[in-house]
Amino acid sequence: MGKNLSIATISLLLVLASTNAQQVFDVKSYGAQPNADITQALTKAWKAACAVAGSKVVISAGVYKLGLVTLLGPCKGAIEFNLQGTLEAPLDVASFNGKDAWVFFQYIDGLTVSGGGVFDGKGQQAWQRNTCNKDKNCNILPFNIRFDYVTNSIVQGITSKDSKFFHINLFECKKLQLQHVTITTPGDSPNTDGIHIGHSSQINITNANIGTGDDCISIGDGSQDITVNQVTCGPGHGISIGSLGRYQNEQPVSGIRVIGATLSNTDNGVRIKTWPSSTSGVASDIHFENVIMNNVANPIIIDQNYCPNNQCSNQSPSKVKINNVSFKKISGTSSTKEAVNLICSKSVPCQQVVLSDIDLAYKGGGGSATSTCANVQPAVSGKQNPPACTNKL
Ligand SMILES: *[C@@H]1O[C@H](CO)[C@@H](O)[C@H](O)[C@H]1NC(C)=O
Ligand SMILES: *[C@@H]1O[C@H](CO)[C@@H](O)[C@H](O)[C@H]1NC(C)=O
């Protein structure tokens, strides 16, 4: 009787174990071969995997060509996208038919992206044709990886390389963690933001290493409860909240924590940017702490006159209200004299701005580092190098 019971128990455990095991869908079984185009094979493998609860799509080591794909949910259960190899995007922008994503994950709950592989966007030709610095209605080029409506998910250990436009974009995502993500692009590649977050909440980015031609991480409207932990940036334009106030009906940004970042040779350090002549908006509860700057051009900056390439009418001040922002333990070197710039809006001055333990040295000629303030009276504590608000506008 005891023996039968234990056999029954073991069989039950085996059944439980097998329901937990992931069913593997290797793209090879769907016709994928190294150096060939695997768009069809991946699409079929994803469809099959998505129809099964607890599945795993595997792309093993090797280099593969991949056209535009939409990896669509909802799936039957948790699903893993395990990329061990390198995926290469088409060189030609025309083959994307105006679509703005190369690899597009959409409507998935419980996604894991893993495997240590590379998404190579092959952006070199596209960058040469980018006109966004001259034309504000320029065509949006394909992002390397888009996550839209992806929830309770983890993206870990992958690399995004040479994207034609932004590398990784999150839209309407919730409870998504990005861990040990590597992003590499030359510093002169246009609009290649590393990770952009919009309309998303409960997002964590930890241990990312991002070198790019635009913002390292940018956090757009509708972002709430975002934690960025231990990130290294450079080259690029630094970590940015915004830009905000450019479009109608933007949602508030709040609850942003950037803790333990190192920025090297970037055009900005930690920044909040809003457009003048803007629609109203809110950016609040934003905290930067333990950030090291190595030769950074504007290490600490609030810029409510953000207007790249004179694309806006600079008539009226920004209407985006900035509130409860702290810069704590920010140290290192500034490559320009303007180490601290808090340029707030005349119509909605910044409130509850804190500068605490700031130590930024300027090593070039022509004087020491400056701190400029407009329409803000920061609360200061601890070390202040440069002294807070040496210039008041
Ligand atoms: C994100 O990080 C915070 C603080 O480290 C933690 O409390 C939270 O559970 C994390 N959230 C997710 C979705 O990983
Ligand atoms: C400021 O932001 C922090 C962190 O998000 C929050 O805990 C705190 O309540 C905010 N303070 C005020 C006065 O709103």
Side-chain angles (χ1 to χ4, degrees):
M1 191 60 193
K3 198 178 172 191
N4 285 344
L5 240 186
S6 63
I7 286 169
T9 311
I10 288 165
S11 344
L12 180 64
L13 286 175
L14 284 175
V15 169
L16 286 175
S18 63
T19 48
N20 278 340
Q22 284 175 312
Q23 202 174 322
V24 173
F25 296 80
D26 191 323
V27 290
K28 271 194 211 125
S29 316
Y30 294 84
Q33 285 174 355
N35 305 312
D37 187 301
I38 65 163
T39 313
Q40 293 297 324
L42 175 58
T43 303
K44 284 182 193 154
W46 178 268
K47 270 196 184 135
C50 186
V52 168
S55 57
K56 178 171 172 176
V57 173
V58 174
I59 303 170
S60 54
V63 177
Y64 307 88
K65 302 209 182 314
L66 178 70
L68 177 164
V69 282
T70 300
L71 304 172
L72 186 64
C75 296
K76 198 89 187 203
I79 186 163
E80 182 167 345
F81 183 88
N82 185 266
L83 172 65
Q84 296 159 30
T86 295
L87 300 175
E88 291 184 344
L91 292 177
D92 186 7
V93 170
S95 69
F96 287 86
N97 294 319
K99 298 259 171 43
D100 62 3
W102 171 38
V103 180
F104 195 178
F105 294 93
Q106 220 181 5
Y107 299 106
I108 307 166
D109 185 55
L111 170 70
T112 299
V113 178
S114 62
V118 179
F119 296 80
D120 183 350
K122 294 274 163 194
Q124 291 84 349
Q125 280 187 19
W127 301 333
Q128 290 163 14
R129 301 210 190 110
N130 182 310
T131 56
C132 293
N133 60 344
K134 295 175 216 122
D135 173 13
K136 70 173 172 182
N137 300 314
C138 62
N139 290 330
I140 302 285
L141 300 172
F143 298 15
N144 255 9
I145 316 170
R146 284 191 79 120
F147 297 94
D148 282 21
Y149 300 89
V150 172
T151 52
N152 300 300
S153 295
I154 300 182
V155 176
Q156 60 188 7
I158 53 145
T159 294
S160 175
K161 179 171 185 266
D162 293 345
S163 182
K164 291 178 171 60
F165 213 69
F166 290 21
H167 281 263
I168 296 179
N169 194 77
L170 271 47
F171 178 74
E172 295 287 355
C173 292
K174 194 169 182 179
K175 295 195 178 167
L176 177 69
Q177 301 182 43
L178 295 138
Q179 299 171 350
H180 293 280
V181 167
T182 302
I183 293 176
T184 65
T185 347
D188 59 359
S189 54
N191 305 109
T192 52
D193 292 51
I195 301 172
H196 180 77
I197 302 171
H199 287 245
S200 295
S201 61
Q202 299 180 61
I203 308 298
N204 282 7
I205 303 174
T206 47
N207 295 300
N209 188 348
I210 301 174
T212 183
D214 207 305
D215 290 338
C216 175
I217 294 174
S218 55
I219 298 177
D221 88 290
S223 299
Q224 324 243 319
D225 194 4
I226 314 289
T227 303
V228 176
N229 216 323
Q230 306 303 331
V231 167
T232 62
C233 299
H237 297 177
I239 298 174
S240 223
I241 313 301
S243 59
L244 300 174
R246 187 178 188 184
Y247 303 104
Q248 298 288 331
N249 303 318
E250 290 188 357
Q251 304 295 308
V253 171
S254 75
I256 315 296
R257 293 164 297 273
V258 176
I259 300 161
T262 302
L263 294 101
S264 301
N265 305 309
T266 51
D267 284 1
N268 302 277
V270 290
R271 171 163 68 152
I272 302 175
K273 53 182 177 181
T274 79
W275 292 72
S277 297
S278 60
T279 55
S280 56
V282 175
S284 66
D285 303 0
I286 300 172
H287 304 284
F288 301 99
E289 190 166 347
N290 277 323
V291 181
I292 296 169
M293 306 287 177
N294 295 317
N295 196 42
V296 168
N298 297 287
I300 295 178
I301 176 166
I302 295 178
D303 180 6
Q304 295 213 259
N305 286 320
Y306 179 71
C307 182
N309 310 303
N310 297 315
Q311 290 177 358
C312 48
S313 57
N314 214 335
Q315 307 301 319
S316 62
S318 174
K319 292 196 203 69
V320 178
K321 172 87 186 168
I322 295 177
N323 180 40
N324 190 12
V325 174
S326 67
F327 300 94
K328 293 184 179 168
K329 300 192 185 124
I330 315 280
S331 63
T333 54
S334 178
S335 65
T336 66
K337 277 165 65 180
E338 288 78 35
V340 181
N341 265 299
L342 306 177
I343 310 301
C344 294
S345 169
K346 199 170 180 173
S347 71
V348 280
C350 297
Q351 285 181 327
Q352 294 184 68
V353 175
V354 172
L355 290 173
S356 174
D357 293 311
I358 308 299
D359 191 3
L360 294 166
Y362 169 61
K363 300 246 170 63
S368 50
T370 61
S371 168
T372 303
C373 298
N375 307 304
V376 60
Q377 289 172 311
V380 298
S381 66
K383 183 162 186 170
Q384 294 294 323
N385 173 32
C389 306
T390 40
N391 303 325
K392 290 200 177 85
L393 301 183

